Amino acid sequence: MNRRNFFGGAAMTAVAVASVSRVAMAALPEPVMMGKPDTAPPLVPATGRPYSPVVTLNGWTLPWRMNQNVKEFHLVAEPVVREIAPGMNATLWGYNGQSPGPTIEVVEGDRVRIFLTNKLPEHTTIHWHGQRLPNGMDGVGGLNQKAVPVGKTFVYEFVARRPGTFMYHPHADEMTQMAMGMMGFWVTHPKDKHPLIQEVQRDFCFLLNAYDIDPGSTTPMPNTMTDFNLWTWNSRAFPGIDSLNVRQGDQVRIRIGNLTMTNHPIHLHGHEFVVSGTDGGPTSIGSRWPEVTTDIAVGQMRQIDFLADEEGDWAFHCHKSHHTMNPMGHDVPNMIGVDHRGLVAKIQKLVPDYMVMGERGMADMGEMQMPIPEQTLPMMTGTGPFGPVEMGGMFSMLKVRKDQKPGDYSNPGWYKQPAGTQSFEWNGTLPEPARFKSEMAAVDGKVPGLNNTNPMASTDKTTTTLAVRKPGAASQKTH
Ligand SMILES: [Cu+2]
């Protein structure tokens, strides 16, 4: 094995752990570390069976080495500093330099060996959520194995028996270790064409996680059960979450796992998707129906598939509005409709920094440059091409572009809407109705289950009269 094979040809900012002794290193795969919270390009496999790799949102895939037909990975459990969004670093626990840990990608039938080195201040284990494996490899401390003591390295070894969407996390002092960010994604690709697993052009994955970090501090509070103030995807909060950038016409898959304490209805704008798989495996074709929101319960994973055929910048977010907020959004008294005039000046005599929040709703918060403690994200901070997006937390965008090159995951910038297709202020007149004809023509025939029922599409080119359909054979065909 040489270093070049080990890295699989991927360009990434990886550095070896210096403190592991040279002797120990000789037998162990060199642990690969990540120094940045960026979305790494897909890791195209240089050894082993070929597959179409995933892209981990604000994450990366762990390189492996082949050792006599065994895929060997090395995970290092350790304290890390994770940038939640520009302006806020959190002191978390994770793997190989980041929280979550790196994504592990293997192929159905692969024999996998994972070395786990414990550099935490307490013991740990790893549970391989969703996998078929020997009982002694399942990673529940005390039940399946002794926990891995501080400073020791344990080995997990099993065959990746079924293709699918999985995750890994400790099963020792879970409450602390998961609250501190210890988790990672696992994808087992099918070894052959699979009747229930469609080939896709883009395949994204991320974990839902949440932290309770007091404004001004950096370490999460592990005792919090429900009242979290940072709702994150792969330990990032908007505007720190990268967009999902695709080419128009791509078949897209997004895999999501939930390791928070509550459910998250994940919602995609502009498209319909199907749930093509769970951590239990691919769903049967007959069980799939179109959705624009899918609820992901605690400990569940969902894999959604869709055709990205609508150009634009489409919001993609948790539909719980409190989950698209950063700290400062909670424990604020309700001031909507309260008129503070006169009162503020009086209070400011006693409390010079006093300011009013929310008497006209909270939208002012999106623009307000209020002083907040260091290492704290404003409640809603994202800025779009038309002003504040007024969201934080579990929010990102699907960016669909005609000219995005195959395999190019870079951010194309803001979508340039065609003239006359944006919501506008009504001033008593309306533009020529003729404008709508081209839009209707574009819609015509595209809505599944509605077969050419758009009356405007069948009018001639110069008038906009509605074609009134009479009851009869024609109408029966359309319903
Ligand atoms: Cu949510």
Side-chain angles (χ1 to χ4, degrees):
M1 199 255 335
N2 63 31
R3 193 176 168 86
R4 169 179 271 239
N5 285 347
F6 184 62
F7 283 100
M12 46 176 64
T13 53
V15 289
V17 176
S19 58
V20 176
S21 84
R22 278 283 146 204
V23 181
M25 294 283 289
L28 283 171
E30 192 176 1
V32 184
M33 312 304 278
M34 179 54 71
K36 296 188 300 186
D38 301 354
T39 302
L43 179 65
V44 178
T47 56
R49 285 198 190 92
Y51 61 81
S52 173
V54 299
V55 166
T56 307
L57 217 51
N58 294 98
W60 58 299
T61 288
L62 188 61
W64 64 86
R65 75 175 181 193
M66 292 302 285
N67 185 358
Q68 296 179 324
N69 271 334
V70 180
K71 267 185 189 169
E72 290 188 335
F73 297 86
H74 191 169
L75 286 171
V76 179
E78 59 181 358
V80 302
V81 174
R82 173 72 168 181
E83 188 191 72
I84 300 282
M88 184 190 179
N89 290 318
T91 309
L92 304 180
W93 292 356
Y95 301 93
N96 300 48
Q98 296 293 324
S99 161
T103 297
I104 292 180
E105 288 185 79
V106 300
V107 179
E108 178 188 5
D110 278 354
R111 176 164 281 276
V112 183
R113 182 179 298 137
I114 303 123
F115 297 90
L116 168 64
T117 297
N118 183 8
K119 295 175 85 178
L120 296 172
E122 66 170 359
H123 69 207
T124 189
T125 65
I126 298 186
H127 164 60
W128 312 98
H129 175 112
Q131 305 274 0
R132 294 261 178 169
L133 36 60
N135 185 250
M137 293 293 164
D138 200 40
V140 179
L143 176 66
N144 305 123
Q145 65 167 96
K146 277 188 172 152
V148 183
V150 175
K152 298 295 183 191
T153 296
F154 272 41
V155 180
Y156 291 93
E157 188 167 333
F158 54 91
V159 173
R161 282 158 63 183
R162 62 181 182 88
T165 297
F166 308 110
M167 54 192 171
Y168 63 88
H169 60 79
H171 236 300
D173 192 11
E174 293 96 299
M175 187 188 82
T176 303
Q177 297 192 6
M178 290 207 268
M180 290 294 286
M182 299 194 72
M183 54 192 74
F185 219 95
W186 179 300
V187 175
T188 302
H189 297 278
K191 64 173 189 272
D192 299 308
K193 277 201 193 322
H194 191 292
L196 300 177
I197 303 174
Q198 191 182 352
E199 280 177 39
V200 294
Q201 282 74 52
R202 310 260 170 169
D203 196 339
F204 298 93
C205 68
F206 61 93
L207 291 169
L208 307 168
N209 44 13
Y211 299 100
D212 183 16
I213 303 180
D214 271 345
S217 71
T218 66
T219 306
M221 288 184 286
N223 294 330
T224 297
M225 190 172 157
T226 54
D227 200 11
F228 296 88
N229 60 9
L230 276 167
W231 299 97
T232 52
W233 289 358
N234 270 359
S235 304
R236 295 281 283 184
F238 186 73
I241 304 174
D242 283 342
S243 53
L244 293 78
N245 310 313
V246 311
R247 177 180 170 86
Q248 188 178 31
D250 277 350
Q251 190 69 29
V252 179
R253 176 166 299 143
I254 306 175
R255 307 168 191 251
I256 308 163
N258 181 2
L259 284 175
T260 72
M261 304 283 199
T262 187
N263 61 315
H264 301 279
I266 299 295
H267 176 51
L268 176 64
H269 292 211
H271 297 78
E272 313 87 45
F273 58 76
V274 294
V275 175
S276 60
T278 74
D279 27 359
T283 56
S284 67
I285 301 292
S287 74
R288 299 178 188 181
W289 65 81
E291 288 275 18
V292 296
T293 304
T294 192
D295 196 22
I296 307 179
V298 182
Q300 280 187 335
M301 310 193 75
R302 290 291 177 266
Q303 172 187 304
I304 65 172
D305 282 22
F306 59 96
L307 177 68
D309 55 355
E310 297 285 353
E311 259 205 305
D313 291 339
W314 302 104
F316 177 52
H317 61 96
C318 177
H319 216 293
K320 288 185 174 174
S321 53
H322 282 231
H323 293 181
T324 52
M325 291 280 143
N326 290 330
M328 314 297 291
H330 303 268
D331 301 326
V332 174
N334 185 1
M335 294 300 203
I336 296 173
V338 177
D339 186 346
H340 293 76
R341 277 168 299 186
L343 190 63
V344 177
K346 282 178 197 158
I347 294 175
Q348 279 175 342
K349 279 180 195 153
L350 298 168
V351 187
D353 289 340
Y354 179 80
M355 61 188 292
V356 169
M357 288 162 66
E359 63 187 332
R360 297 179 300 167
M362 286 289 192
D364 292 348
M365 299 293 295
E367 287 177 313
M368 199 180 276
Q369 294 298 309
M370 63 180 275
I372 52 175
E374 269 183 47
Q375 291 293 346
T376 303
L377 296 176
M379 184 167 94
M380 34 201 195
T381 48
T383 305
F386 305 107
V389 178
E390 298 179 350
M391 274 177 280
M394 292 178 161
F395 180 90
S396 185
M397 291 145 288
L398 172 76
K399 295 193 169 189
V400 183
R401 295 291 188 281
K402 243 191 232 85
D403 50 3
Q404 189 85 5
K405 298 215 164 45
D408 178 9
Y409 288 85
S410 61
N411 185 340
W414 299 115
Y415 179 58
K416 292 186 183 58
Q417 300 160 343
T421 63
Q422 191 189 49
S423 173
F424 55 93
E425 181 181 352
W426 181 71
N427 57 17
T429 59
L430 285 172
E432 270 299 296
R435 180 173 69 76
F436 297 114
K437 280 206 280 184
S438 61
E439 287 174 25
M440 285 306 200
V443 166
D444 191 33
K446 274 181 64 178
V447 183
L450 293 176
N451 214 353
N452 255 346
T453 52
N454 169 16
M456 292 187 79
S458 60
T459 59
D460 69 58
K461 296 199 164 44
T462 52
T463 65
T464 53
T465 45
L466 292 177
V468 178
R469 280 179 286 104
K470 293 188 176 119
S475 68
Q476 276 175 3
K477 247 195 317 194
T478 61
H479 287 93

